[in-house]
Amino acid sequence: MQQPFISLDDIRAAAARIAGQILRTPMTQSASLGELAGVPVHLKLEHQQTTGSFKLRGASNAILSLTPAERASGVVAASTGNHGRALAHAAKMQGAVATICMSRLVPENKVAEIRRLGADVRIVGNSQDEAQDEVDRLVADKGKIMVPPFDHPSVIAGQGTLGLEIMEQVPEADTVLVPLSGGGLAAGVAAAVKGLRPKTRVIGLTMERGAAMKASLDAGHPVQVEELPSLADSLGGGIGLHNALTFAMCRDLLDDVILLTEDEIAAGIRNAYAAEREILEGAGAVGIAALLSGRVTSAGPIVAILSGRNIDMGLHRRIVNGASGAPAEVAA
Ligand SMILES: *Cc1c(COP(=O)(O)O)cnc(C)c1O
């Protein structure tokens, strides 16, 4: 195995840097999932993090790692989802300006949410690509600092602090289940976990529909996949054909990747609500979904990361009331 690009020391430094900015989220044990798996199952309740996802860790570390001059220039990103929310909040906490670029197609409630968090919102073009072009322009013309959602050393180290917490809370963890999209979370968590306890297995979980990292790992290099709507919308999007860090780290550090169907993800959301009394978005529920599917085997304790809770509440209600994961059933 090659040395990971982000070291345990980088992650420890990130933890010290962001300690006052993020919550140390609780770890609970699930009796019903433990019974099913035959080993203790612990749930890392990271959906309870400020802004509703772990993304605040990476965004906070990235902003706190800037020089004062860079911070004064302001940060910019094109995410309308959890990264955008996290970056807006983290920038506000540091007295910096975050500019979030989004396309005209982004629903008004998402725009309002990011504005409410204090960001300067720019609506440009009709696609995510055009929003990204505006980001590139602001970097080139205005000297703004781009903070990407996953493929960046400070972001990966920040997400890795979740791995440190997990190993403090469950030092004997044998298997850690990590939601996987661009791989910032999985790369950071795996670097922390394997740095502390090399024999612990780290498994990435993602949806069958449009799994870019899985397709890239299978191909041996970053590839593009068709994007399809999924209940796990936070797991959508590509990994970047010029991926610098997360592809290689996931290739070197992940023990396995499990793909989940839309019905399995719906079952995960439903079980989290009924059995654990937790409201999760699809991406946050893939750990529970994988355990329910019976496809995770482990000789010892399992930790599942519940990564986010930002789901439309109408959609959540339909799923809890029994809608399958089929797009027609979950559509409003
Ligand atoms: C971003 C996100 C993920 C995936 O993280 P990556 O670093 O892109 O792999 C998983 N769950 C939630 C809730 C997210 O917002």
Side-chain angles (χ1 to χ4, degrees):
M1 192 177 77
Q2 287 176 335
Q3 273 301 308
F5 302 79
I6 307 300
S7 70
L8 191 53
D9 285 345
D10 296 329
I11 298 169
R12 287 188 167 128
R17 210 175 280 125
I18 67 176
Q21 306 297 320
I22 58 136
L23 300 174
R24 183 186 166 90
T25 50
M27 182 78 81
T28 58
Q29 210 172 327
S30 167
S32 61
L33 291 171
E35 214 165 286
L36 197 66
V39 293
V41 171
H42 303 263
L43 303 175
K44 177 63 166 161
L45 307 184
E46 184 67 9
H47 63 297
Q48 296 179 8
Q49 186 57 258
T50 308
T51 71
S53 83
F54 70 89
K55 292 261 183 3
L56 188 62
R57 295 173 184 265
S60 299
N61 190 47
I63 291 180
L64 289 167
S65 299
L66 299 176
T67 64
E70 285 173 332
R71 210 176 295 175
S73 310
V75 293
V76 60
S79 162
T80 60
N82 288 333
H83 176 61
R85 298 166 82 115
L87 193 63
H89 179 83
K92 189 169 157 191
M93 297 308 284
Q94 303 310 319
V97 175
T99 306
I100 309 293
C101 302
M102 44 185 100
S103 90
R104 265 181 224 114
L105 304 182
V106 173
E108 186 51 42
N109 61 334
K110 284 204 169 186
V111 179
E113 175 69 23
I114 302 254
R115 270 212 186 95
R116 195 181 60 74
L117 288 163
D120 178 9
V121 172
R122 289 217 182 184
I123 313 272
V124 275
N126 290 311
S127 69
Q128 191 65 9
D129 284 350
E130 286 177 74
Q132 183 60 43
D133 290 344
E134 177 70 3
V135 170
D136 296 341
R137 197 189 64 74
L138 289 170
V139 170
D141 296 357
K142 307 277 180 199
K144 293 210 172 270
I145 309 293
M146 179 167 72
V147 180
F150 54 87
D151 199 21
H152 185 285
S154 304
V155 173
I156 297 168
Q159 320 305 29
T161 63
L162 190 47
L164 293 184
E165 276 178 34
I166 287 170
M167 296 314 282
E168 284 165 20
Q169 291 169 314
V170 187
E172 71 288 7
D174 240 23
T175 303
V176 178
L177 304 178
V178 191
L180 172 67
S181 175
L185 177 64
V189 166
V193 167
K194 303 248 178 210
L196 292 166
R197 192 174 187 270
K199 70 177 179 184
T200 298
R201 293 187 316 145
V202 180
I203 299 177
L205 306 172
T206 194
M207 70 291 192
E208 267 180 5
R209 291 168 69 84
M213 182 62 85
K214 169 71 171 148
S216 300
L217 292 171
D218 289 348
H221 57 87
V223 296
Q224 221 157 2
V225 299
E226 189 194 349
E227 244 194 90
L228 297 165
S230 169
L231 274 180
D233 56 328
S234 292
L235 301 183
I239 70 165
L241 289 177
H242 301 286
N243 188 289
L245 297 167
T246 60
F247 169 74
M249 288 183 74
C250 288
R251 180 193 62 204
D252 294 349
L253 297 173
L254 291 184
D255 294 278
D256 199 2
V257 175
I258 296 176
L259 301 181
L260 296 152
T261 66
E262 295 299 300
D263 283 351
E264 286 170 336
I265 295 168
I269 293 173
R270 207 176 291 122
N271 178 272
Y273 190 67
E276 314 297 338
R277 312 298 160 107
E278 302 291 344
I279 293 172
L280 298 180
E281 58 176 284
V286 289
I288 292 176
L291 287 161
L292 291 172
S293 80
R295 273 184 289 155
V296 179
T297 52
S298 179
I302 299 170
V303 174
I305 297 175
L306 312 188
S307 57
R309 68 170 174 213
N310 293 320
I311 185 169
D312 175 82
M313 284 311 288
L315 171 59
H316 189 266
R317 203 173 310 117
R318 289 193 291 285
I319 293 169
V320 165
N321 287 340
S324 74
E329 283 200 37
V330 296

